[in-house]
Amino acid sequence: MNEQTSLPRLAIGSLGGTVSMQASTLGCGVRPTLGCDAQLAQVPQLRELADLEVATLGLLPSASMGFAALLDVLAWARAEVERGAQAVILTQGTDSLEETAYFLHLLWPFDAPLVMTGAMRAANQPGNDGPANLLAAAQVALAQDSRGRGVLVVMNDQVHCAARVRKTASLAMAAFRSGCGPLGDVVEGVVVYRQAPARRKVLPLPHCTEHRVALLEVCLDADTALLQAVATLGYEGLVIAGFGAGHVSGGWSEVLGQLVPALPVIVATRTGSGPTASASYGFAGAEIDLQAKGVQMAGQLCPRKCRILLWLLIGTGRQQQLHSWLPC
Ligand code: GLU
């Protein structure tokens, strides 16, 4: 609490994305130009809710963000909590939000909420959703029930868990979904949770950041040239977005068997929902065959989040513990 205003302290950092975009020249499309102050100017109610600490941390489209920049953002957010912020909000592009949120979720050591949001419509578009999402994010961030849940993604008045949320629509306002539904909703400014906080494990900061993890998607009649190149190109981990319940062709299975002694391999599902199987199918390239070769099945984790997890596990020397980090 700030002694003079007795309002809780809330740190808000902006990274770019559509929520920061507007058109400066007619016909040239929108680009990130609005810093954090300009975004907050559209939501005057925020200053009635909290004593704000505001920082423009970047002005990037979210496809151009990276792990090194995220570690800097994490350091900023941690320092804000250590200086007394009750919660932290980050605004960014929605395109990579499902990945950045999970990255930060795995490293966020506090009960204080870290809430991430963005917008599907740019600031100059009619009906732009940035201000409403920002206000909802603040209401979630300041709610007592949000504590201990790690990183939360708030979009379209829904609260999602960073470990499960996915962007499932390219342009629709309702663009985010979680496999088992949202954790809760924001109703008339009040956060109503429908799921209890899940037990979560937190990783220490990675001590190495130079390694790379590849992500390849299977498709019909795919050759194995790219797959075979993975180890020779120096990748230290591999994630496959597999068919159905986590399947690959017989040819891909053979190559994966050759790669496994050299690097950890995870097979996830490319379907967009549901877990991988563990004991149903017995053909070459199915889960029983893959596991016998030392491949890890992803369980509930989507391919993109598997890549984030594997990168952080390798960076902290914990790749041997991969199995215990994959939700069944
Ligand atoms: N639709 C994306 C967004 O919501 C495009 C730009 C980006 O992800 O940065 O922000």
Side-chain angles (χ1 to χ4, degrees):
M1 295 273 184
N2 174 307
E3 278 174 23
Q4 277 161 353
T5 62
S6 74
L7 288 174
R9 187 152 168 242
L10 182 61
I12 307 185
S14 68
L15 299 165
T18 298
V19 68
S20 72
M21 293 192 196
Q22 58 186 355
S24 39
T25 322
L26 205 64
C28 285
V30 296
R31 294 179 186 192
T33 53
L34 300 176
C36 203
D37 277 314
Q39 288 175 43
L40 298 190
Q42 303 168 56
V43 202
Q45 302 90 323
L46 281 178
R47 301 213 178 257
E48 290 161 23
L49 294 180
D51 177 24
L52 304 181
E53 189 65 42
V54 179
T56 300
L57 303 171
L59 270 178
L60 283 177
S62 70
S64 296
M65 292 170 64
F67 295 158
L70 275 179
L71 289 171
D72 290 343
V73 170
L74 178 69
W76 171 83
R78 287 175 66 137
E80 287 301 325
V81 173
E82 277 152 10
R83 276 199 287 268
Q86 182 171 315
V88 179
I89 294 178
L90 291 170
T91 67
Q92 72 150 82
T94 59
D95 283 358
S96 67
L97 183 53
E98 65 194 88
E99 289 167 81
T100 56
Y102 186 54
F103 183 100
L104 296 172
H105 184 69
L106 288 171
L107 298 172
W108 187 244
F110 304 114
D111 279 346
L114 173 53
V115 179
M116 301 182 71
T117 191
M120 293 303 291
R121 289 189 186 154
N124 64 315
Q125 276 183 287
N128 81 79
D129 51 333
N133 285 338
L134 203 40
L135 182 58
Q139 288 157 343
V140 170
L142 296 172
Q144 185 62 25
D145 283 356
S146 298
R147 294 184 66 79
R149 292 179 185 263
V151 175
L152 299 166
V153 171
V154 174
M155 291 290 293
N156 206 27
D157 281 343
Q158 291 186 322
V159 189
H160 295 272
C161 171
R164 292 195 291 264
V165 69
R166 295 176 56 247
K167 186 174 183 179
T168 58
S170 56
L171 290 167
M173 300 286 270
F176 284 82
R177 272 200 216 153
S178 298
C180 48
L183 292 178
D185 301 284
V186 182
V187 183
E188 297 181 311
V190 177
V191 191
V192 182
Y193 281 103
R194 289 188 242 144
Q195 295 177 33
R199 216 170 53 82
R200 70 186 193 99
K201 296 197 283 184
V202 178
L203 284 167
L205 291 172
H207 49 75
C208 99
T209 55
E210 297 304 309
H211 56 291
R212 291 172 300 136
V213 175
L215 167 57
L216 294 177
E217 180 169 307
V218 297
C219 52
L220 191 65
D221 203 26
D223 63 57
T224 58
L226 282 175
L227 195 56
Q228 279 169 321
V230 164
T232 52
L233 288 173
Y235 289 95
E236 291 177 40
L238 172 63
V239 177
I240 303 292
F243 293 110
H247 300 158
V248 302
S249 67
W252 273 47
S253 171
E254 257 177 58
V255 180
L256 291 182
Q258 290 154 18
L259 289 173
V260 163
L263 74 176
V265 177
I266 307 177
V267 172
T269 173
R270 69 173 194 175
T271 60
S273 74
T276 52
S278 60
S280 296
Y281 289 93
F283 59 84
E287 70 278 4
I288 293 173
D289 165 46
L290 292 172
Q291 290 172 108
K293 288 176 170 142
V295 168
Q296 291 286 334
M297 301 309 289
Q300 296 281 353
L301 210 59
C302 81
R304 296 179 282 273
K305 292 188 200 284
C306 284
R307 177 173 165 271
I308 300 285
L309 173 66
L310 188 49
W311 189 85
L312 284 171
L313 288 176
I314 294 172
T316 54
R318 284 170 168 71
Q319 55 271 45
Q320 305 300 340
Q321 300 172 15
L322 175 58
H323 182 71
S324 69
W325 285 83
L326 291 168
C328 344

